[in-house]
Amino acid sequence: MKRKVFVSSCSVKAPGISDIEKLQTALIDPGFDPSLLEVMLNKDLSGYFGSLDLDTTSSYYPDRQDIKIMRNDVVASTICVSELLENTGIREEDLSNIPLFIANGIVIEKLFDKNDKVSRLFFEAILLDSTKKKLEKLYKIIPPLLALQTLTNATESYVAQYSGIAGNNTTFGNTSISAYYALLEGFRNVESGKSNLAVIGASNSSGEYSNLTFRQFTSNYSGWRESACSVFLLLESSESLKRHQKKALCEIVQLKSSNHIPELLEISTRKPFESLISEISGDLAVFSGGFTENDYELEKKEVKAKSKKSYSWFPKLGNLGAGAILMNIITAICLLKNNSVTLADCLDRDPYSRESLVKIRVC
Amino acid sequence: MKQQKVFVLDYDVVSPLGVGKSNVLSSLQNNVIAETPISRFITDGLDNKIACEIKEDLSGYYKNEHPRILKAISYDRKLELAVTGYYLMEDRLKKLFEQVAPERSGVIMGIGADIFSVELLEKDIIEYLQHSDDPLFEIIYKYNKTKGNINILVNPFDVTSIFFAHKLKLGAFQKSVLTACAASTQAILLGCEAIRHNEADMVIAGGTDSIITTLSFISFSKLGILAPANDQIGKTCKPFDINRSGTIAGESAGLCVIAGEELVKKSGIEPKFEILGYGNTLDAYKITSPDPSGRGMMRSVADALQNSGVFSGDIDYINLHGTGTHLNDPVELKSLKDVFGETLENIPVSSTKDRHGHAIAAAGIQEFSILCLCMENNFIPCNLNLEKPIMEQGIDLVHSVNRKRIINIGMTNNFGFGGVNTSLIIKKL
């Protein structure tokens, strides 16, 4: 028999947002300023990028030895999961069976530029005439742990190492729909009774590499805005909630994704949320998708026509990549807490116009 | 509720041992080792100059592709290998997916890290360095001028899955799995889960990866996992040997088509194998090394046995992860011994990485394909470079010569970077 699946705990890191309390403040504070950095994307056009500012004094901050090879989003995720598991009552011996499904966005923040030391040495090597000398120098300057720094499952591995979670797992990547896929796997594990708990999350970097990857996917990339983030949810069955004497934050009542064939050679001409807009039935829709002002306006128009109340983080943080739909879920929980209205639609569309919908009922 | 059975309908592989399964089979039977000096880029100045490359010119397979895809392929070996895999199976794939509605068919691929080929951009970098502070940014910007969902340089990992979806109209999902050496094995088991949970009826599962580019190769060398240069070509990678000194860089792409029993019954397609079960765990230990206790690997192997509903003695052959690295090999054998106990001495086990190298995210699908080939042809490939085994008591590590043996039930294991452990058990039909 299928079991109900609840979100019982959540944790978040985003620019200007170090915890759920700060997220709640950011939602209502018109003065919230996450200090996105303006970067020139070409001679005339700039984009805004938000990076993670982590508390190095946190008791969950990773060991110095590990920090050397951890990307910022990986550090954030490690702290997030430790915070997520705080006061959950989960016994240490149970951690090895808890599933961990992760979505990883872009793993590289920045390409080489002439202004940092390794880059300078890299370019010096490239300019050498002799191939032999060039490769000798490249060999010398490439950090021994570069392969681990750019490892696509580094988030999963470090989260496991620092939390002890060691069950069924994967890392999906790297557009925003991957968080929906991660959520779906975690949901199935709990719904089917394979597991009473599942940790799901997303880790996302932002920066020029992401811009280079996705800018041609949109017709006009002016007004580009994106942020790094790390977002994690603990899913539980009702039996598990009872056992841990906990109250759920929300129930996940529906998971759905679009099933059109994504375009490869062209930009998609589909309207935002074309496949899933008819599914909106809640009193609040929290949405995400585009990287640009123009895309955001188009999404807003579609969602507003269907939902009484809507919210998007785009104006404040821009696109949150792999973390977007999970951030939407937490946002809906915060906005509907202590409210008589409890049903919310969390929507996302990725750069290939693949759409996902998570319908939640806030408890 | 009874779980739907999942079957393998077809599979194929692009490997350093050959392009296409009949070539790979022939290489396995003739004990070919694909190790050669690297030809993809100049290696002067590097101590380590060998790898298992796919030497065949693959352009003939995809020559009629769209120019934009051809251009992207020319800078992305992973994509090139995957596209080759598609054309290798094109007619068979089309015939199979004709029977399923687009919204009931999906694709899930294990994909390796994105480290661009600096050797291919060298001239541009030198030119741009004259006037730019951020030459790579400007070079990529220059190449990626055309609007569309595929770039010439720097694509999302999903581009491979989207390519298959685009070709075969796979609408249910297009997923990319990023768990390094376990990625394509996980792709298969996640494909099974998608079928069992009614997300799709038919799925392409597989993977693609190559670490034979200058930056990847140097990165992996410096990580200390690649065996240093050896005087004797073909003797570099020695899984489970006392004198092993590391693995050998490889590349591969492979695909398998899986479907649920309802579709199989309805369509009358004759499946080749049944996927009986799998295990999938984490070490939760260290990113740099496997847990020496082998707990994560043990749980993966034990879960696979339990979920398959078979006894340990029912397994006829195990294709091991066997990288040839100091840390991985002994833990793998210890885990097997701890799970199988005395039964293990009656189960032939071997690693084939000494023949085709380590294809990282495509290791799983390459070795899954090899397992399928061994099962269809009732033979067991030996560890070619195994002279002094690290463990002899209580284990049948096949060495020296290949063996003839009927294999009805086989297992493949992939234990990856970051402590991801995946085991899969299949039955020949």
Side-chain angles (χ1 to χ4, degrees), chain A residues 112-148:
Chain A
F112 295 108
D113 75 39
K114 277 185 189 168
N115 300 319
D116 72 69
K117 194 183 159 199
V118 176
S119 299
R120 241 188 1 260
L121 293 169
F122 173 83
F123 291 128
E124 276 172 29
I126 295 285
L127 288 170
L128 290 169
D129 285 335
S130 141
T131 307
K132 186 170 181 288
K133 283 187 180 155
K134 191 177 298 188
L135 284 180
E136 278 171 354
K137 181 145 188 175
L138 276 178
Y139 191 88
K140 206 169 147 192
I141 61 162
I142 286 178
L145 299 171
L146 176 73
L148 296 178

Side-chain angles (χ1 to χ4, degrees), chain A residues 95-98 164-168, chain B residues 278-284 294-305 335 339 421 423:
Chain A
L95 289 169
S96 63
N97 291 318
I98 295 180
I165 296 172
N168 196 3
Chain B
Y278 28 79
N280 183 31
T281 66
L282 286 158
D283 273 3
R295 273 192 296 262
M297 293 185 192
M298 274 164 56
R299 284 188 298 115
S300 170
V301 174
D303 286 354
L305 281 170
S335 318
V339 175
N421 312 299
S423 306

Side-chain angles (χ1 to χ4, degrees), chain B residues 20-67:
Chain B
K21 52 188 177 183
S22 57
N23 292 321
V24 173
L25 175 66
S26 162
S27 293
L28 287 169
Q29 289 174 329
N30 293 308
N31 292 337
V32 170
I33 293 182
E35 178 184 335
T36 56
I38 291 171
S39 61
R40 191 85 40 76
F41 57 90
I42 298 166
T43 53
D44 292 354
L46 296 180
D47 288 339
N48 197 340
K49 300 168 193 277
I50 47 152
C52 291
E53 289 177 319
I54 297 166
K55 295 284 186 191
E56 188 175 329
D57 175 10
L58 303 174
S59 59
Y61 288 93
Y62 51 75
K63 60 178 184 294
N64 297 323
E65 243 321 327
H66 189 280

Side-chain angles (χ1 to χ4, degrees), chain A residues 232-247:
Chain A
F232 280 80
L233 308 178
L234 179 65
L235 306 185
E236 280 194 63
S237 64
S238 49
E239 292 88 329
S240 177
L241 285 167
K242 259 184 226 157
R243 189 175 320 130
H244 297 122
Q245 297 177 320
K246 264 172 27 196
K247 193 176 173 296

Side-chain angles (χ1 to χ4, degrees), chain A residues 162-359:
Chain A
Y162 277 87
S163 67
I165 296 172
N168 196 3
N169 68 90
T170 204
T171 297
F172 289 108
N174 61 345
T175 72
S176 60
I177 199 166
S178 42
Y180 172 83
Y181 293 148
L183 177 60
L184 186 62
E185 292 300 332
F187 180 88
R188 282 172 178 165
N189 271 261
V190 178
E191 187 194 41
S192 65
K194 258 191 204 170
S195 175
N196 278 317
L197 299 140
V199 171
I200 59 124
S203 174
N204 191 60
S205 286
S206 80
E208 63 177 34
Y209 196 85
S210 160
N211 176 265
L212 284 169
T213 308
F214 296 118
R215 63 163 63 162
Q216 296 308 106
F217 287 45
T218 182
S219 52
N220 177 353
Y221 69 88
S222 67
W224 191 276
R225 191 181 280 265
E226 58 167 291
S227 284
C229 69
S230 173
V231 194
F232 280 80
L233 308 178
L234 179 65
L235 306 185
E236 280 194 63
S237 64
S238 49
E239 292 88 329
S240 177
L241 285 167
K242 259 184 226 157
R243 189 175 320 130
H244 297 122
Q245 297 177 320
K246 264 172 27 196
K247 193 176 173 296
L249 299 172
C250 75
E251 180 193 346
I252 296 174
V253 291
Q254 191 190 359
L255 287 163
K256 196 167 181 183
S257 61
S258 57
N259 50 24
H260 66 278
I261 318 293
E263 294 288 346
L264 181 64
L265 297 163
E266 309 292 331
I267 295 174
S268 174
T269 53
R270 294 170 65 84
K271 272 192 201 167
F273 309 119
E274 195 176 308
S275 305
L276 297 179
I277 200 88
S278 61
E279 302 278 339
I280 293 184
S281 59
D283 297 273
L284 168 72
V286 186
F287 65 97
S288 54
F291 282 94
T292 66
E293 203 72 50
N294 183 50
D295 287 343
Y296 160 66
E297 290 298 337
L298 292 171
E299 286 158 10
K300 189 166 79 175
K301 194 178 142 201
E302 294 299 323
V303 174
K304 278 202 156 177
K306 190 74 183 148
S307 182
K308 279 183 236 164
K309 235 175 121 184
S310 65
Y311 188 85
S312 168
W313 280 102
F314 186 88
K316 288 171 180 163
L317 295 172
N319 184 300
L320 292 164
I325 197 147
L326 304 184
M327 186 73 159
N328 293 351
I329 293 172
I330 298 179
T331 303
I333 292 170
C334 291
L335 288 172
L336 294 184
K337 206 170 67 172
N338 307 324
N339 205 317
S340 58
V341 168
T342 59
L343 202 62
D345 297 286
C346 304
L347 288 150
D348 180 66
R349 64 168 185 151
D350 85 342
Y352 293 103
S353 288
R354 292 179 290 180
E355 300 158 19
S356 45
L357 167 73
V358 182
K359 207 179 272 290

